[in-house]
Amino acid sequence: MSDDDVTIMEVDEAVPKPTKSTAKPAKSTAHLPWIEKYRPQVFTDIVGNEDTVSRLAVFARTGNAPNIIIAGPPGVGKTTTILCLARALLGASFKDAVLELNASNDRGIDVVRNKIKMFAQQKVTLPAGRHKIVILDEADSMTEGAQQALRRTMELYSSTTRFALAANNSEKIIEPIQSRCAVLRYSRLTDAQILAKVIEVCEKEQLSYTEEGVSAVVFTAQGDLRAALNNLQATAQGFGHVSPEHVFRVCDEPHPMLVRSMLDACVKQDIHAAYKIIAKLCKLGYATEDIVSNIFRVCKTLDAPEDTRLALIREIGLTHMRVADGLSSPLQLAGLLARMCRAAAARDTHW
Amino acid sequence: MSRDIRSFFQPKKIQKAKVEEHDDDIIPESPDVQIKNKKKESRKKRVLSDSDEEIFDSKKKKSTAEPPKSKTKTPSKPVLKEVKAVDIFGSAPIKRTEPIVKKVKEKKKTETGIHSDDEFDKSLLELDEVEELALNSELPSTSSKAADVPKNDVKTKIEKEKSPIKIKENKPDKTKDIKNEIKQEKSPTKVKDKEIKEQDKSKSVKFESKSKNSSKMNDKKRKFAEFIENETNHEAEKTDEDTNVKKKKLNDSITDSHNIINKEKKLKKESSNELDDSNNTIIDDEMNETKHGGSRKKMNKSLNESVLTDEERHERKMHSAALYKNYLNRSGPKHLGAKEIPEGAPGCLKDCAFLLTGVLDSFEREEVTEAITKYGGCIKSGISKKVTHVLAGEEAGPAKMAKAQELGIPIINEDDFIQMIRDSTNKKSKEKEMKKEKSPSRKPINNKKEVNGVSKKTNSDTTNTKKSQEDKTKHEKTNGFGSKVKKSKSPEKVETVVKKEIKIESEKVKKDNLISEGKPDSSKNSTGPMHMMWVDKYKPQNLKQIIGQHGDASNVKKLSNWLTKWYVNRKAKLPKPSPWAKNDDGGYYKAALLSGPPGVGKTTTVALVCKELGFDMVEFNASDTRSKTLIKEQISELLNTTSLSAYSKGDTGKQAVTKKHVLVMDEVDGMAGNEDRGGLQELISLIKATAVPIVCMCNDRNSQKMRSLVNYCYDLRFTRPRVDQIKSAMMSICFKEGLKIPPDAISQLIVAANQDVRQTLHLLSMWAAEPDTDPDKLRKDATSVRKDVKLGPWEAIRKVFSAENHKTMSINDKSDLFFYDYSLAPLFVYENYLQVAPHCPKNEILDRMSKAADSISRGDLVDARIRRSQAWGLLPMQAMYSSVIPGHHLSGHVAGQIQFPGWLGKNSRASKMQRLCQEIHAHTRLSTSGSKSSIFLDYSSHLRDAIVNPLVKDRSDGIAKAMEVLESYHLLRDDLDSLTELSLWPGQRNPMVLIDSKVKAAMTRTYNKTATALPYAPAAVKKGRTRDDADEEGLDDEPEDETEDSDPENDALIKKKKSKEDKPASKEKPSSSKEKPSTSKTKAGSSKEKKKK
């Protein structure tokens, strides 16, 4: 495994991965973050977005993949997919035929004009249908000038070089570049997909876990598999057992479920129930600002009519402003609850 | 236009003659003999076609001719109609699309050679099937609706046509007689009869099938049979085709080694062509008459209408204005979501063209549009004969309705529409009936197809046209004769014959392919097509393949005209054209600027135009550094060199050395950053002095960067091609790649890619990786690939208030709209929220407005906190207050034009006023006691009047008085301007206008002459205006000098007097800026004097 991970990070020794991946648990991998340890090496291991991945797998077999942009939220496997593709396409020549640049590299306009262009012009002997690959991770952080400089390079050397871009935000990639690529959109992973993966990892690591604990990990991840694995590892190393309390102690934030039930109480105009929760949160020592911003975030996705939600958000905003001004006493939170109850009530009558 | 039509008719006659000949051959003999003949013919052909070109031609014929044939066959009557359409609408758009198709087809065979012939045949058959289906549904309808007016027209036309046909036939026959090649000396009439019989056979097959209402299997068989029949015809025609080939050669002016006989034939053909021409023209005229018969009435009407009095016109205008107002204010659907569009059978609305008008009761327009396209229908924006249904809702456009009634188009409402879809699902067996019902609607579409097909043929091969026309004539005849009994062989026989023929044909095709592949294909890269991206593989190889660039006014044409005339234009001194001149050929400009969105073919266009005109392209793009020095030294040197590039292509001799360069600066908007500093300026100066044409390309010609460049360039704007233009090209590529994608999925894909050809291709190649996915998923995919284009604030604001968009958006999506530009968005909302027409009862509007305003004001509070205490964590909150909540309350649509936030302009004006006020306050500090605001409120207008009034009243005599005031308040001449600006309130008249310009000039002069001593450093004041010009070094020193001066002010004055006496020259210190050196001079002078003393 360690080898595999190294290759991922540093782009060398790509070939042996698939074979080694089976041998992962045997090696001493304790010093690797799990996200690297369990990073998929082949397409079949990639979780989620099956359509796109299977299509890419076809290209991996046949070669001649078009330029691609993979766009999606963090932790859904964009970089992994691209690396898998490159590895499957190039095999042993991965080292020579792949240029990987991410945001940590200098990717100014001159790098594009010199380094990338030079790489594109290089001759690397590859089997038919295989091309050199330039991987630009986090392409949305490239400046517009650099992207402009990339445009024609992508076209002129398409006979020898293909580009694979990964980005969180495809809007930040200029339209001409998008036009030169097939844009693939990755969506957030479903909770079930993450849950399956998390349980798989738990079993591989021989962790003791409870059902609720694992689902708490999934909850904190919010569709981000990387976050899920990180949280899982943190919990495992801290407590050795995955239970909800442990998880939330590691991923410290006011539990969204609590906040949600509090908001539900407000909608029902049950201020006592709501206040109990707030008092508990305050007692746990959360900062008022965190509580309020958490309430705000949860409120946006509350299971209530949009009118109600917006009415509540109006009130939350007021409190948020005050908290930002330094009035971070529990009194403000109590006031917020009261106003939210009133807003919900008013909404019933005339909103 | 008329030309086109004629050219397209000419072949017709020839064709007919040929057909007849065939028939002669075929009918009397047994099918076996026929086959033999055909084989012979085919062999002959091969022998004949020893030159490459011929093979190519014949290939073309086969490959291209067959599919169109089947197309043309299907629509039974519409020959006449086709012509109509062409006459009426003009052939221009058709032209555009055709060449693409052609080439694509050619490519299929020559380039890729991937598909085996069988596959190709299969696909052809499939095509036939589709069209067959249409036919089947159509034919009954036509027969049933004998009473229909159009039908009558058709009949009459057919009759008319017949007579010309006779003439035609006779003449070609003669020519053939002369040839002695084919020995059919039967009378033309006989020939005709036989033809007709044959056709009857084929038709009878169709009819039979119809009457049986047989299953699909039968249909297929029939189609196959028909297809085969066509082929047999073709084969029989081959002898004719030979002659055609020759004709082509004539046209192409290719003088290859041919038999003497051939040459003779050519000559004959020429004569026959002439004859045909005359015939054609006659026929054309006739046809036109018949066609225009109906349209003339309309013409008259429109003429009558056009003779309107001014009053009427005015009234109309008013009326339409009122209508437009209504349109803007009209509400959304009343019972939105009350009904659902049912699931229909796929393609159930195929061949229907809808026109939507008015507000539907329970659907948004988009929903209906989506449904229609999903089921294969199409949507027209304007009413025309092609429209089959008018889907009218409330407040339907009266003009549209009237016209629809006039054209006899069924007007349906929402429920009818739903019913249409439902029927399709309920009983698939009923489908055919449905189609019959719809058939009137279908006719126009078929016509369209035919028109396309026909014009294609005219453009491409004469053979194609002939064939298609043959088919048409067949149809006509069958129609005219009604259901004649088919005396003839059974369809099975025909089938067998046909099969054999197909084999023969396929063999030929294979051979052709082999030959073509054997040839060195220059267009292919060494990498081979398999390892190229589709974008490169299907890159246009010549100008005609560029999508959407066909017409005479296209950018391609303009660019090539401009380039060809470039050197000529440099000698002729042309005046700069006015920016509004429409048909400017850009002769004045030395550079062209191509602008347009990505993926529409700008770079391709330039490359191909250069190639075609023999220019050598020197390209610089954003991946090259293009700084000032580089452009100056390298590029300009480059352009003076001589290109030897032709040597590398194998040319030798004089032509190989060319001085014809084009400098292509691609992606000029990508000249950015430090590296390219000064590049644009240098480019402009390069353009001014260039000796070669320069072509620049950019995406957004309105961007700030391009502003200076635009003035020196011939402006060529590329727009996105229409969806159907791209679609046809994509379909043919899919076909070549063996990819089956429903057409509507492709059009969705194209729309999602924002009509970007390149990206569409990329996405298609992604799809091709996994070809056999179900169409529904493809459709879903198509919409999901939507390119993320950053919304401008204008689109974003429209979305903020759009009720339609709200339906599908979560709160997070809505707040994303705010984050497109979080500094501008609140201003936009504030500027425009009152223009929104919320979809709600009228009595609520005010309430909602107030809530929105309240929320906006809170947003402003949050904004202030964010900016003041850098509490950026509040930004999501501001998004809620400033955008989401107002948008929620005022959910509806923006009824007016979206305004740019006025706050920005006003804010900058306010800060400017502040600055002016500050300046004046500082200048007048010695003589005034007020604060800044009192200067502004109390002093400014009076000060201004004190200066301006003497000038207005006493003119030049008042100058002294004005100067006095200026001096006593220590004001500069510039301060006068700022004073007037400060004191001018809205609605007031600028008093400076009253001053005679001469007086003003005189005053300025006297002011400059009298160098007044100031209690402050005027340089600091002037900084704003003259900073750039003034030499920086001087600036630093001057203030010190001045401050020194201010102390010995009196001394200087005293000395001045002396110096005046001594040297009058020292007086003339023209401007205040020169004042300082002069004072230093006087100083120096005075010090000298002192020394003397």
Side-chain angles (χ1 to χ4, degrees), chain B residues 139-245:
Chain B
L139 280 177
S141 70
T142 52
S143 56
S144 64
K145 290 191 182 175
D148 281 1
V149 182
K151 221 207 168 182
N152 289 340
D153 280 355
V154 174
K155 277 181 185 171
T156 54
K157 281 170 196 170
I158 292 162
E159 283 166 7
K160 277 179 190 170
E161 265 224 341
K162 275 175 199 165
S163 56
I165 289 161
K166 280 173 195 169
I167 300 164
K168 285 180 210 164
E169 282 160 4
N170 288 337
K171 278 167 189 173
D173 281 359
K174 280 174 199 166
T175 59
K176 272 152 203 169
D177 289 351
I178 301 162
K179 286 168 205 162
N180 287 335
E181 246 224 334
I182 310 148
K183 345 88 193 179
Q184 320 130 339
E185 274 135 31
K186 294 152 198 170
S187 70
T189 49
K190 273 183 192 174
V191 177
K192 250 194 189 176
D193 285 349
K194 278 167 193 171
E195 247 200 13
I196 293 155
K197 283 167 202 166
E198 258 233 343
Q199 286 153 2
D200 284 352
K201 285 172 216 162
S202 63
K203 294 244 150 127
S204 64
V205 178
K206 287 173 202 165
F207 281 129
E208 275 180 350
S209 62
K210 285 162 215 155
S211 61
K212 282 172 198 166
N213 230 353
S214 55
S215 66
K216 273 189 181 177
M217 288 294 288
N218 285 339
D219 282 356
K220 275 184 189 172
K221 273 185 194 170
R222 256 175 271 141
K223 286 160 212 163
F224 185 58
E226 280 177 358
F227 173 62
I228 290 161
E229 272 196 353
N230 285 339
E231 290 227 33
T232 54
N233 288 340
H234 287 298
E235 292 288 304
E237 282 170 12
K238 270 176 192 168
T239 46
D240 300 72
E241 281 176 355
D242 283 357
T243 56
N244 289 337
V245 173

Side-chain angles (χ1 to χ4, degrees), chain B residues 35-162:
Chain B
I35 296 159
K36 279 175 195 168
N37 283 344
K38 280 164 206 163
K39 277 181 186 169
K40 273 182 201 166
E41 282 159 8
S42 61
R43 259 174 237 149
K44 263 189 211 164
K45 223 193 178 180
R46 266 175 236 158
V47 176
L48 279 173
S49 60
D50 44 1
S51 77
D52 291 352
E53 279 153 36
E54 249 196 312
I55 291 165
F56 196 64
D57 282 354
S58 59
K59 247 191 277 166
K60 255 194 204 170
K61 273 181 225 158
K62 281 170 210 164
S63 61
T64 54
E66 282 160 23
K69 239 193 180 181
S70 53
K71 269 186 203 167
T72 48
K73 246 193 176 183
T74 47
S76 51
K77 325 160 188 176
V79 182
L80 309 161
K81 276 188 180 176
E82 292 162 27
V83 184
K84 255 192 196 172
V86 174
D87 286 346
I88 295 163
F89 298 114
S91 53
I94 297 154
K95 265 188 203 166
R96 265 184 234 152
T97 53
E98 286 152 18
I100 299 167
V101 178
K102 237 204 270 169
K103 259 139 210 177
V104 170
K105 274 171 189 166
E106 278 179 23
K107 264 190 198 168
K108 270 178 219 162
K109 298 213 165 164
T110 54
E111 264 193 20
T112 58
I114 294 166
H115 304 275
S116 71
D117 296 347
D118 295 35
E119 278 179 348
F120 185 61
D121 284 345
K122 262 189 207 168
S123 51
L124 283 180
L125 282 177
E126 281 171 4
L127 278 178
D128 282 359
E129 276 180 27
V130 175
E131 267 142 0
E132 271 311 289
L133 279 172
L135 220 197
N136 285 342
S137 57
E138 231 184 79
L139 280 177
S141 70
T142 52
S143 56
S144 64
K145 290 191 182 175
D148 281 1
V149 182
K151 221 207 168 182
N152 289 340
D153 280 355
V154 174
K155 277 181 185 171
T156 54
K157 281 170 196 170
I158 292 162
E159 283 166 7
K160 277 179 190 170
E161 265 224 341
K162 275 175 199 165

